[in-house]
Amino acid sequence: SAVEAGLYTASDQVILLSPENVDSVLINSSAAVLAEFYASWCGHCIAFSPVYKSLARDIKEWKPAVDLAAIDCAEEENRKVCTDYSVRAYPTIKFFHAYSKDGSLGQAFKASSHDVRVLRHRIINKLENHAEPWPPACPPLEPTSQAEFDSFFDTNNVQHLALIFEDTKSYIGREVTLDLLQFENVAVRRVLSSEAALLNKLGVTEFPSCYLYSPGGNFTRLKVNIEARTFYSYALKRLPGVVRSGKPPPVVVDVRTNSTEKPWRPFNRSRVYMADLESALVYSLRVELAAHSVIRGEALTALNKYISVLVKYFPGRPVVMNLLKSVNSWLQNHTASEISYEALREILDNTAQVPDTALPEGERWVGCQGSQPHLRRYPCGMWTLFHVLTVQAKNTGRSDPQEVLSAMRNYVRSFFGCRSCAEHFEIMASESLVEVNTFSSAALWLWSRHNRVNNRLAGDLSEDPNFPKIQWPSPDMCPGCHTVKDNGEHKWSNERVLSFLLSHFSSGSILSDHLQ
Ligand code: FAD
């Protein structure tokens, strides 16, 4: 289909245009839209597509104000759309104002750069010059004056005003304003370093710097490791009362549970709990696999590999390991081309009553508890389990650095109940799993793909408001993981992330009980 043949998939943060949706996306939309018209065979387009994808991930939070779209003009069925929009060369990028009129061909947008930062700044320039009507979700981007500052809380009902003091040429203030546009209880404005009177009054001398101003008149510097966009955005999203719009405010101390629910167990958010890993195993083996009454072919291979990496690398309690070992030897000795779940279930239940061999009775979530029963839990446990396995393999693995990830890929493809998750994961795996050639790169691959999923799901219905999706670990969990390039763009220190993962998910750091 057009979607598969093109340079973008449903997993990218890019709207895939087709003759059916093109007019509703580009015309009369409440958001401005940047649309790439490309041909899948054209070399420049192929070279540009990773840049466009990173741009889309980078400005994901800006979607209500400005969104990205793309259409493959090499696709027969899209020809007419590309002709109608007067596209003759690829790639052509056009900027469509919010509420563009029928027949609008969009404005030219220079795509000569392969630098996400340059493209992002051009988008801001376009937004700043946006004609009326302004996209309603787009906050004001112009600098704040002394007058606006003095009467800010008379007209704005927010708990925090974040002021970013910067030079005229700096884009940080506008970037952070857009990064926070989906968040309530905080407004962001830029103040230019030329506002001498205001700066004197407030005693601000460093640029860029960010200060918080509250309705009570408090004026305090925002503490960050590095004065840069990402650090400001991380910190502002964590301010008390700041929540994604349209979500109930997170309850910090006492998370609601209804009376039929198990009681909430307090836990340390920066630790890994054995109870979650075991619960993921229980759910996967007793519930998810049970959906397959007969397991054969690819699914049987997936099951074999899954159990085999668990036996090798799961740092479990001896009783659980004994159970996994008996499942493993049963599977190894099983020569028929299929197994029934019922037969597997007897091993899982240890009906032969081998001593000291058992899976826990039921699920008992701790670090993966959700504020509501349909949130977190199993998928949270599954991610955690595989992070632990990649880290254990790094410590003890001997041969194949892809072993754990390919077991995960096969498990997810054959069994993971969330089918759209499985499709997205398969796309990521098929794109880049081959590049994994060391145990360290396997742990880092899973970390970075998990972050990609976090980026895609931020703000989604499946996000627990008490556990917002962030690019993990945050600067307060691992300050050294975050750095900036010379141009101020955020950069992960892969070396520091790796040591953080190796320690965070190591068997020695896993807590055996929630009270610890
Ligand atoms: P999770 O994302 O489940 O993370 C669990 C814990 O891992 C976090 O609390 C944190 O401590 C830690 N963590 C977070 N990020 C990282 C990281 N980058 N590296 C290491 N550790 C990290 N849901 C969908 O709606 N659509 C999907 O397409 C989708 N695909 C999925 C694919 C897979 C393979 C899996 C296992 C799950 C998928 N999910 C998907 C579910 C989704 O990713 C979350 O698991 C779920 O929303 C619960 O989120 P959570 O807040 O508990 O955190």
Side-chain angles (χ1 to χ4, degrees), residues 283 288 291-292 378 411-422:
Y283 185 90
E288 196 150 72
H292 303 249
Y378 177 56
Y411 181 88
V412 168
R413 188 163 58 198
S414 288
F415 300 111
F416 199 52
C418 166
R419 292 320 294 162
S420 68
C421 301

Side-chain angles (χ1 to χ4, degrees), residues 226 285 355 401 492:
I226 304 173
L285 298 172
W492 291 100

Side-chain angles (χ1 to χ4, degrees), residues 112-420:
S112 49
S113 177
H114 277 202
D115 182 344
V116 166
R117 178 167 168 267
V118 171
L119 296 169
R120 193 172 71 225
H121 294 173
R122 282 186 194 149
I123 291 177
I124 290 179
N125 296 343
K126 286 283 186 198
L127 283 174
E128 281 195 307
N129 296 319
H130 198 288
E132 289 295 332
W134 182 255
C138 189
L141 298 173
E142 74 269 19
T144 291
S145 61
Q146 168 114 39
E148 190 193 5
F149 174 79
D150 288 340
S151 63
F152 188 83
F153 292 111
D154 302 345
T155 47
N156 291 279
N157 184 20
V158 292
Q159 267 168 269
H160 313 273
L161 170 60
L163 291 168
I164 293 175
F165 295 86
E166 61 182 355
D167 299 333
T168 325
K169 277 193 287 188
S170 164
Y171 281 86
I172 297 178
R174 288 164 286 179
E175 289 166 347
V176 176
T177 303
L178 289 161
D179 286 344
L180 270 292
L181 78 85
Q182 298 193 51
F183 291 78
E184 279 171 9
N185 258 327
V186 59
V188 186
R189 295 284 189 276
R190 65 190 298 232
V191 183
L192 298 186
S193 50
S194 53
E195 283 280 336
L198 186 55
L199 299 181
N200 276 341
K201 180 175 151 190
L202 298 170
V204 174
T205 53
E206 278 177 53
F207 311 100
S209 59
C210 179
Y211 285 77
L212 294 174
Y213 185 46
S214 69
N218 250 343
F219 187 74
T220 50
R221 179 100 182 237
L222 183 73
K223 288 194 190 65
V224 289
N225 298 320
I226 304 173
E227 305 288 334
R229 171 197 175 195
T230 323
F231 294 82
Y232 292 152
S233 295
Y234 264 113
L236 295 176
K237 287 178 192 175
R238 288 178 49 91
L239 291 176
V242 172
V243 278
R244 202 175 268 286
S245 322
K247 296 232 173 171
V251 183
V252 179
V253 196
D254 196 24
V255 176
R256 289 148 291 128
T257 48
N258 66 39
S259 55
T260 59
E261 272 295 298
K262 300 201 175 106
W264 182 262
R265 299 186 185 92
F267 66 96
N268 182 340
R269 289 191 186 208
S270 52
R271 298 299 295 270
V272 174
Y273 289 84
M274 185 52 83
D276 294 311
L277 303 173
E278 289 186 357
S279 299
L281 282 182
V282 166
Y283 185 90
S284 125
L285 298 172
R286 289 196 198 274
V287 183
E288 196 150 72
L289 290 180
H292 303 249
S293 50
V294 177
I295 300 173
R296 64 165 82 90
E298 202 178 88
L300 186 53
T301 312
L303 178 62
N304 280 317
K305 284 182 133 195
Y306 175 55
I307 300 293
S308 147
V309 297
L310 285 171
V311 165
K312 280 196 199 168
Y313 306 122
F314 183 57
R317 294 184 291 140
V319 271
V320 175
M321 294 316 292
N322 288 341
L323 190 278
L324 290 170
K325 283 179 201 153
S326 51
V327 176
N328 196 41
S329 37
W330 179 73
L331 286 169
Q332 300 304 314
N333 294 333
H334 201 96
T335 46
S337 62
E338 57 179 50
I339 61 164
S340 73
Y341 181 75
E342 220 172 310
L344 172 64
R345 185 62 184 241
E346 299 211 340
I347 315 291
L348 294 173
D349 289 345
N350 189 21
T351 47
Q353 302 199 333
V354 187
D356 299 321
T357 300
L359 264 188
E361 279 297 309
E363 299 160 44
R364 196 175 65 93
W365 303 106
V366 179
C368 285
Q369 288 171 102
S371 62
Q372 284 169 42
H374 66 281
L375 296 173
R376 308 195 74 226
R377 301 189 179 194
Y378 177 56
C380 169
M382 231 24 193
W383 279 120
T384 313
L385 174 63
F386 278 101
H387 287 300
V388 166
L389 296 177
T390 57
V391 165
Q392 282 301 110
K394 152 91 180 140
N395 293 333
T396 59
R398 291 284 168 266
S399 51
D400 176 12
Q402 289 185 10
E403 185 184 16
V404 169
L405 294 178
S406 71
M408 177 176 186
R409 176 187 189 172
N410 292 341
Y411 181 88
V412 168
R413 188 163 58 198
S414 288
F415 300 111
F416 199 52
C418 166
R419 292 320 294 162
S420 68

